[in-house]
Amino acid sequence: SQTIHQWPATLVQPVGSPLSLECTVEGTSNPNLYWYRQAAGRGLQLLFYSVGIGQISSEVPQNLSASRPQDRQFILSSKKLLLSDSGFYLCAWSPAGHGYTFGSGTRLTVV
Amino acid sequence: TQLLEQSPQFLSIQEGENLTVYCNSSSVFSSLQWYRQEPGEGPVLLVTVVTGGEVKKLKRLTFQFGDARKDSSLHITAAQPGDTGLYLCAGQYGNKLVFGAGTILRVKS
């Protein structure tokens, strides 16, 4: 069966520090991978998605970047965090279209 | 830009009552998905509707996709405290899944 792993679960980082969140998927090949950010109790904002290794589409211009170095690995990064980067970050995968499976999320607090 | 408007934003009801959550857009989606999310966890898929006019039932939950594939509704019959959570609709547009703002449902016993 397919599983998705996302870590860390919580993170407190100072303003100006770098960020690296990792997401890996098991049990499937060539999945579509996604990074979302969620404000408290509200909808999800799509940040990046990838349909293959090295292929990244950015939805919102911002202080973040994404990379897909391997088929089942998706990384969200920042060189210098801002206070506004705080939020709940979710990774998801989909077999090209239907039924997304989400990771358990990373709660990022920038202080 | 594809936008999904979800209503109401917040719903507080007594156990046993019925409720409906609406999801509307001016865009046509290839599919419409409903998710439920608990605090501190990722959303969990409830259902995917694909065909215009489609109706799906999941126990006490009934999901409907509009004929034009631009809107959807979620109806819960005889709500229970365990139904409490954030309900999210999401529309598939190409390779992207676009989310509504969510409905926070609280069912009081």
Side-chain angles (χ1 to χ4, degrees):
Chain A
S1 62
Q2 302 87 7
T3 56
I4 181 168
H5 302 281
Q6 186 180 344
W7 67 92
T10 59
L11 193 59
V12 180
Q13 292 283 101
V15 170
S17 65
L19 172 74
S20 181
L21 301 180
E22 188 164 344
C23 173
T24 60
V25 181
E26 296 178 356
T28 186
S29 297
N30 197 31
N32 288 357
L33 296 172
Y34 303 82
W35 278 110
Y36 285 87
R37 179 168 58 198
Q38 185 177 31
R42 305 317 297 166
L44 282 66
Q45 178 188 35
L46 179 61
L47 302 177
F48 301 94
Y49 69 94
S50 171
V51 298
I53 296 175
Q55 300 179 58
I56 308 294
S57 296
S58 174
E59 287 298 298
V60 182
Q62 56 204 315
N63 186 42
L64 302 169
S65 62
S67 62
R68 185 170 178 173
Q70 300 180 39
D71 181 44
R72 290 170 286 181
Q73 183 185 30
F74 204 21
I75 298 172
L76 183 69
S77 304
S78 174
K79 292 182 180 179
K80 290 185 178 182
L81 284 169
L82 306 172
L83 287 174
S84 58
D85 292 324
S86 293
F88 191 48
Y89 288 83
L90 288 154
C91 178
W93 80 274
S94 169
H98 302 288
Y100 286 51
T101 300
F102 284 83
S104 53
T106 296
R107 173 72 59 193
L108 171 66
T109 304
V110 183
V111 297
Chain B
T1 302
Q2 302 77 37
L3 295 176
L4 277 168
E5 294 184 358
Q6 197 171 334
S7 63
Q9 293 185 11
F10 183 77
L11 200 53
S12 181
I13 61 173
Q14 290 294 134
E15 182 177 4
E17 293 183 359
N18 302 332
L19 67 113
T20 302
V21 178
Y22 300 93
C23 184
N24 297 288
S25 175
S26 58
S27 300
V28 176
F29 294 98
S30 58
S31 71
L32 201 295
Q33 302 169 29
W34 285 91
Y35 292 80
R36 180 169 173 270
Q37 185 179 21
E38 299 273 5
E41 299 179 6
V44 176
L45 178 68
L46 295 174
V47 77
T48 300
V49 285
V50 178
T51 306
E54 183 176 4
V55 177
K56 282 191 175 180
K57 292 191 175 183
L58 185 64
K59 297 183 180 178
R60 294 177 293 102
L61 279 59
T62 301
F63 305 86
Q64 187 164 6
F65 202 13
D67 291 340
R69 306 207 323 270
K70 293 183 179 181
D71 56 271
S72 181
S73 64
L74 158 61
H75 182 78
I76 300 179
T77 303
Q80 299 176 2
D83 295 328
T84 293
L86 175 66
Y87 289 82
L88 297 157
C89 69
Q92 185 73 41
Y93 192 82
N95 284 316
K96 301 185 292 185
L97 189 65
V98 178
F99 280 82
T103 295
I104 298 173
L105 171 63
R106 181 187 174 196
V107 182
K108 296 176 285 187
S109 56

